[in-house]
Amino acid sequence: MLSMAQEVSIDLGARSYRIVIGGGLLAEPTSYEGLPRASAALIVSNTTVAPLYAAALRKALTGRYSKIYELQLPDGEEHKSWQILQRIFDVLLEQGCDRKTVLFALGGGVVGDMTGFAAASYMRGVPFVQVPTTLLSQVDSSVGGKTGINHPLGKNMVGAFYQPQRVVCDLDVLATLPAREFSAGLAEVIKYGPIADMDFFDWLERSMDDLMAHESAALARAVRRSCEIKAAVVGEDERESGLRAVLNFGHTFGHAIEAGMGYGVWLHGEGVAAGMVMAAELSRRLGLVDEIFVERLVSLIRRAGLPTHGPILDDKNNAWRYLQLMRGDKKSEAGEIRFVLIESPGKAVVRSAPDGLVSEVIDACCR
Amino acid sequence: MLSMAQEVSIDLGARSYRIVIGGGLLAEPTSYEGLPRASAALIVSNTTVAPLYAAALRKALTGRYSKIYELQLPDGEEHKSWQILQRIFDVLLEQGCDRKTVLFALGGGVVGDMTGFAAASYMRGVPFVQVPTTLLSQVDSSVGGKTGINHPLGKNMVGAFYQPQRVVCDLDVLATLPAREFSAGLAEVIKYGPIADMDFFDWLERSMDDLMAHESAALARAVRRSCEIKAAVVGEDERESGLRAVLNFGHTFGHAIEAGMGYGVWLHGEGVAAGMVMAAELSRRLGLVDEIFVERLVSLIRRAGLPTHGPILDDKNNAWRYLQLMRGDKKSEAGEIRFVLIESPGKAVVRSAPDGLVSEVIDACCR
């Protein structure tokens, strides 16, 4: 219901935009008021999401654009490639779309990242709108302007920082999300507690059962607070020169898990969940947090239906394999791995750690 | 000689940078002082330019970067494609290059545009330096931050606005440039007169013989003044929302010529030269400038060794073919062609024109 809609503003000067959050927003024409004028729009979706929501979005946009084109990409992280991205450019050029054409990303993180990068690059930049249909993309990937595609040698290695004109988070669409993907999204929600807001963490502990039951008021609060925290961090550091890195709590280990298992075997949020446990344990062994904090985090992650241990990536030398994968991560500099650690509950810090200690953590946290 | 070096500053706030202009600068370590620190650099060049200058550039950078990689792309506009761009990402990832790695574009516009787009996109942005080796790239494409690649359906359709950290214009390298390419570069030099500075145009009329003889003081002045004018325009309108379009004087017709003939048959500067004549003639027929101005422009273009007529693109309906190609140009909006016209000598204006009048101009200016 539109009257329940909430808003979060992302303050980035000329690139500021609004996130609107609520039930039924996707199909509401008012959700798209005030967007740049254009004669054409392109809805980019995938073969899973389009049958569910593309018609409703198109209907909501009718009257705003005289031509509305649609493109369905294949579903899945393995299709986050240049070859598939090229299809967006193909449609735009075949239809003679000009540099004012507005792109709508209707789907999860893969659709959002690819559509965003296409918008950043088509004629050197056209407007785009995020309509995220997964919890993960509502609380994380659709906010902050990171766009991109994978390269055979690494994930998200090619892309752009490019801000959407708006993010429309329709909470009703989460009802159709598979349980495993819903849990994966909760990993990023949980993340915001240890790095920024332990009151939110306390609330998550009290509300995890409601969230797992898709209780709408709880969902709205979880999405809004996640977006608020991300907005605050991104507002301070749009291009990830420093502070923004704290959003990657759990991601250094998590990316190694995703890459080591082969993309798609573990969901991103699952890798982040196990990665947060490992990063928290590393923080503990460095004397930054106590065992109680780690246990609380592990318990909350478990209640969200997420893994609390990393997988064995190499039977012979598992820790070495993790380290090797982490050294290839985007955040590493001159081969040094940068970890996002918890300095104290509610506050993150980015720093390196001795390989020996990291190996011990990997050994303790994988099975 | 370094003592002769001149500088132009591009003022874009946090993205400001310097253009250094002079003889012998490419091989001078001081040309690269003050660039962001990094452990690695990648010199991207092509098979024509690399044998001439890559060793000298590498030598100048030794001591600044502990690892210097090199990549040679195939030479030619037809290789300005995603497939070839991918080779830059391949090398960067194979060598484990981090997000501080500095890319050096050593070559003409194609190398500069591709290296710039690779820098804009690799890990969502790494620093890059332009070392343009053609007159065209020194006075135009290396300044202003336009980067990109071609798509089978259109030129420069995929790219980014992304500023270099520095532009190093070594005038000595122009000595090895083929005469036809040197002339093509002069087209963009001549352009700056009618759109912004008729004193410069007067000077070009007096100095064209010196320029054609590669006289170094004349070259330095032509390059510096061209960069200054471009810098001023780009400083006002980095992302081409309005004013910057005046830099495309001659380009709407010129792009149609390039596309209609097949890319590479006419050089970009040759298309722009004939395109400027057509745009000037259109301006005259709209009552904006007089015949004397058009004749002066035609004469200067001819003295620079450039074409003063457009080619016949279609034996049956040439004007229709030009119009069709121009409607597909990036600058067109909802199918309306936007022409950069001369409102009065030294002042450009962007506007549309009746198809009938444009057709008459095409008929009069092609053979």
Side-chain angles (χ1 to χ4, degrees), chain A residues 253 256-262 265-266 274 278 307-322 325 359-367:
Chain A
F253 290 104
I257 293 171
E258 285 185 271
M261 294 298 284
V265 179
W266 278 49
M278 294 160 94
T308 57
H309 288 82
I312 303 292
L313 298 179
D314 185 306
D315 288 336
K316 294 249 170 55
N317 200 337
N318 188 50
W320 175 85
R321 179 65 181 142
Y322 268 85
L325 287 163
S359 295
E360 286 174 30
V361 168
I362 293 165
D363 289 339
C365 294
C366 293
R367 66 179 187 198

Side-chain angles (χ1 to χ4, degrees), chain B residues 8-19 143-144 163-164 227-228 230-238:
Chain B
V8 177
S9 292
I10 309 284
D11 186 11
L12 294 168
R15 293 179 304 288
S16 297
Y17 60 95
R18 290 185 295 141
I19 305 167
V143 181
Q163 304 298 338
C227 289
E228 281 173 355
K230 179 145 190 185
V233 173
V234 171
E236 293 279 311
D237 177 22
E238 186 178 359

Side-chain angles (χ1 to χ4, degrees), chain B residues 86-155:
Chain B
Q86 193 76 2
R87 292 194 198 169
I88 305 178
F89 299 129
D90 291 347
V91 169
L92 289 167
L93 284 163
E94 284 161 8
Q95 301 298 343
C97 288
D98 65 25
R99 67 203 320 180
K100 299 204 162 176
T101 305
V102 183
L103 271 57
F104 287 81
L106 175 66
V110 172
V111 165
D113 284 8
M114 295 181 77
T115 307
F117 188 38
S121 305
Y122 184 62
M123 295 188 177
R124 302 195 187 93
V126 296
F128 88 111
V129 174
Q130 295 268 20
V131 188
T133 59
T134 65
L135 181 57
L136 179 68
S137 54
Q138 291 189 355
V139 301
D140 185 38
S141 57
S142 71
V143 181
K146 280 195 184 179
T147 72
I149 54 174
N150 298 331
H151 182 282
L153 296 177
K155 210 178 146 179

Side-chain angles (χ1 to χ4, degrees), chain A residues 243-266:
Chain A
L243 174 66
R244 183 167 175 160
V246 303
L247 295 171
N248 289 308
F249 175 51
H251 285 58
T252 305
F253 290 104
H255 285 157
I257 293 171
E258 285 185 271
M261 294 298 284
Y263 289 112
V265 179
W266 278 49

